[in-house]
Amino acid sequence: RNIFLSRALTNSGLTVDQVHAAYLGGGVPLDGLVPEKPFLGRLGLSGKVPTFTLAVRAFPGTDGTPGPALVAEFPLDRLYAMRGESRLFEIYVTDSKGHPLIAPTSAPVKASVGGGTVETPVFAGLLPKTAATAGTREYDPGGVPMLAAYAPAGNLGLWAVVQIPKARAFEAARRLVTRSLVIAGLVGLAALGLVVLLASSITKPLLLLIRATEQIGQGQFDIQIPASAGDEIGDLGARFRRMGEELGAREAALQDANRRVVESEKMSAIGQLGAGIAHEVKNPLTSIRGYAQMGLRKAPADSPLREYFQTIERETGRSLEILKNLLRFSRQETAEMSPMELNAVVEDTVKLVTHQLGMKNVEVVASLSEQPLHVVGNPNQIEQVLLNLMMNAGDAMESGGTVTVTTKLLPGPKAAIQVADTGGGIPPEIVGRVFDPFFTTKPVGKGTGLGLSVSYGIVKEHKGDITVKSKVGTGTTFTIVIPAVAQSRVEKPRAAAAPEKKLRVINLR
């Protein structure tokens, strides 16, 4: 009994008679077909729709009648679609003898119909002869070296074979190696770029620190290090900047101390020189002044010589006063030191100069400390220093102004006196020379340049210090700092003692 699907045959370009003739004409071994072993083959019935043939025999009936045979044609469209999954490999499905049932369209596959020969690659030499196990081999079927892999497909005696020409396989390997090398090179370049960037971010701040170290070694402490991220190098840079600032401050303090030492040595040398000159010149000047006074007494009232003697006496007196200041500056003449109250000396000095400076339209303002300022010193010398400072301040304010004298107690304890004016100030280029002997900015005949030098020496004798701060157009402030003593060390007020004549010495400025 034959059953056919006429529509499927028509779509394949076949007729029932063609199929019937192919099966009964030896295409399907119906006589030798047994239930235990199905038949598989490529009959090639239609070129329009490639198929392979499967025939099975049912088991015999109870009366021994052979079972019916079922023959089916399976289209290979979907199986051929597997070739699209690989463009390098050739895919085959073979029977147990190695004859391909499914092969690429480029392979000359022809099935055995009616005992004909098969014109297709035979894998009999590739497949194993004993056990149905999978494996890989390198073989040479037709002069072209091939690499193949095989594996059994189910229990129907079918094998799946995948092969590729050896040259193409190594070409793919070479291509893979080439791509791998290119990718590795790109990755290496990227890694090198990252390393260079990271190294630059680390070494650049270090190079800046090295240059800053060289600058500090050359004495340039004003260095600028750019701020970096908040990491260890950033902390190092911040500490390096602080170190440069501290070294700069110490260098400035050291230069100031060195300047003071040089100034002190210069003052000492000039003082010694002045002392020698003063001693050598003082006696002849005294004799000249004495003879001038003698001539003045003996000369008649209407004699023209009296004017000459008066001039000689006046100028020799002025010269002797300068020599006296030189001796005081050189500390050759020491004054008696005793406990004293500084506010009282300042108050007396202010009263002394108020009227004189008021004639120049200069107001004197005293701001005294509420606490008593007890020091050990010489009142006459302190008064002389204050007179020099206040008279100089008055000379600096030709159009009038204000002189402010302030006293206060500093930690230590130390007593401080400030004399500030509202004059034109001292230019920065000469402010450091105001204590130099014979240095003056006054016109010729109005100053000897010894006032501040003598004041400097007097303050040093009192173990104190005198400094000046000035700004052009604003004014000048002199500050005197003298060590203070406890009140218990101060003697009773001098008013209880016998009245003493007070000598006021006004230094020539």
Side-chain angles (χ1 to χ4, degrees):
R1 185 179 178 187
N2 300 316
I3 302 175
F4 297 97
L5 184 58
S6 301
R7 184 179 301 173
L9 292 177
T10 301
N11 293 337
S12 302
L14 298 174
T15 63
V16 175
D17 294 337
Q18 290 175 341
V19 176
H20 187 75
Y23 289 164
L24 298 180
V28 179
L30 296 175
D31 295 338
L33 190 63
V34 294
E36 292 80 4
K37 189 174 182 181
F39 168 77
L40 291 169
R42 283 285 299 275
L43 302 181
L45 300 179
S46 172
K48 185 177 181 181
V49 180
T51 61
F52 73 91
T53 305
L54 172 64
V56 293
R57 170 75 72 180
F59 287 95
T62 56
D63 56 356
T65 303
L70 176 62
V71 183
E73 294 293 329
F74 289 88
L76 300 179
D77 297 344
R78 297 202 176 192
L79 293 177
Y80 282 148
M82 291 191 304
R83 296 196 311 273
E85 298 178 5
S86 176
R87 298 179 180 180
L88 298 177
F89 300 95
E90 297 177 355
I91 302 173
Y92 297 88
V93 177
T94 70
D95 57 13
S96 59
K97 296 181 179 180
H99 297 289
L101 301 177
I102 303 174
T105 54
S106 59
V109 179
K110 289 185 180 180
S112 57
V113 180
T117 59
V118 179
E119 296 181 5
T120 185
V122 179
F123 298 100
L126 175 66
L127 302 178
K129 299 296 190 289
T130 56
T133 57
T136 58
R137 281 184 59 187
E138 180 180 348
Y139 75 109
D140 189 356
V144 179
M146 305 291 288
L147 295 177
Y150 51 88
N155 58 357
L156 301 177
L158 300 178
W159 289 81
V161 179
V162 179
Q163 69 176 9
I164 184 175
K166 186 176 179 180
R168 186 181 299 178
F170 286 123
E171 179 183 356
R174 285 191 297 271
R175 189 180 297 113
L176 178 62
V177 171
T178 302
R179 292 178 179 176
S180 300
L181 290 176
V182 172
I183 294 174
L186 294 177
V187 172
L189 291 176
L192 181 61
L194 290 176
V195 169
V196 171
L197 181 62
L198 181 61
S200 176
S201 64
I202 295 177
T203 57
K204 185 177 180 180
L206 294 179
L207 291 176
L208 292 177
L209 292 178
I210 291 175
R211 296 193 187 99
T213 304
E214 295 175 352
Q215 292 178 359
I216 290 179
Q218 296 172 359
Q220 302 176 7
F221 301 109
D222 187 15
I223 56 175
Q224 298 294 332
I225 301 178
S228 59
D231 52 9
E232 291 79 2
I233 296 180
D235 294 340
L236 180 61
R239 296 184 181 183
F240 210 90
R241 286 194 299 273
R242 288 197 298 271
M243 181 186 71
E245 294 173 357
E246 293 176 359
L247 288 176
R250 293 182 182 180
E251 177 69 13
L254 183 61
Q255 291 179 355
D256 183 67
N258 184 63
R259 182 184 61 79
R260 291 177 179 270
V261 171
V262 172
E263 188 73 20
S264 177
E265 292 294 332
K266 181 174 65 176
M267 292 293 184
S268 177
I270 294 177
Q272 293 177 2
L273 178 62
I277 295 175
H279 281 296
E280 294 294 332
V281 178
K282 184 177 182 181
N283 293 333
L285 284 177
T286 303
S287 300
I288 294 173
R289 186 180 185 187
Y291 284 117
Q293 292 174 347
M294 184 184 301
L296 186 62
R297 286 195 301 269
K298 293 183 178 182
D302 56 349
S303 176
L305 295 177
R306 292 185 62 84
E307 182 179 357
Y308 299 141
F309 288 139
Q310 289 175 353
T311 303
I312 293 173
E313 182 186 16
R314 184 176 64 254
E315 294 301 323
T316 53
R318 179 172 176 270
S319 300
L320 288 173
E321 187 68 23
I322 293 175
L323 292 177
K324 185 186 299 183
N325 288 333
L326 278 175
L327 289 174
R328 186 178 292 112
F329 169 75
S330 61
R331 300 184 184 179
Q332 298 298 318
E333 296 181 358
T334 58
E336 181 181 356
M337 300 291 181
S338 61
M340 54 177 286
E341 209 283 314
L342 200 58
N343 283 332
V345 177
V346 174
E347 187 175 5
D348 292 342
T349 309
V350 170
K351 292 178 180 178
L352 182 63
V353 301
T354 298
H355 176 71
Q356 185 175 356
L357 293 181
M359 297 175 62
K360 298 181 179 180
N361 199 23
V362 175
E363 181 183 4
V364 181
V365 178
S367 177
L368 304 181
S369 170
E370 296 180 357
Q371 297 175 311
L373 302 178
H374 299 289
V375 299
V376 176
N378 187 282
N380 289 335
Q381 288 189 345
I382 296 298
E383 186 176 285
Q384 180 180 353
V385 172
L386 294 176
L387 282 172
N388 284 330
L389 295 179
M390 285 189 280
M391 296 304 293
N392 284 342
D395 293 340
M397 296 180 289
E398 297 180 356
S399 301
T402 303
V403 177
T404 304
V405 183
T406 307
T407 62
K408 55 185 175 181
L409 183 64
L410 301 179
K414 295 181 179 180
I417 307 173
Q418 285 186 341
V419 179
D421 63 62
T422 58
I426 304 174
E429 60 270 13
I430 64 174
V431 71
R433 301 178 56 193
V434 295
F435 297 112
D436 291 352
F438 305 106
F439 177 80
T440 180
T441 59
K442 298 179 181 180
V444 178
K446 290 189 177 182
T448 61
L450 287 174
L452 291 178
S453 299
V454 173
S455 300
Y456 181 88
I458 291 174
V459 173
K460 288 301 181 180
E461 280 188 23
H462 287 72
K463 299 180 181 179
D465 193 13
I466 180 172
T467 57
V468 57
K469 290 184 179 179
S470 182
K471 186 176 181 181
V472 176
T474 301
T476 304
T477 301
F478 285 88
T479 303
I480 302 172
V481 179
I482 302 175
V485 297
Q487 188 174 0
S488 60
R489 295 181 53 188
V490 180
E491 297 178 354
K492 294 182 179 180
R494 297 177 60 183
E500 179 183 354
K501 183 178 179 180
K502 191 172 184 181
L503 177 64
R504 300 187 185 276
V505 178
I506 302 178
N507 179 48
L508 294 176
R509 296 174 304 284

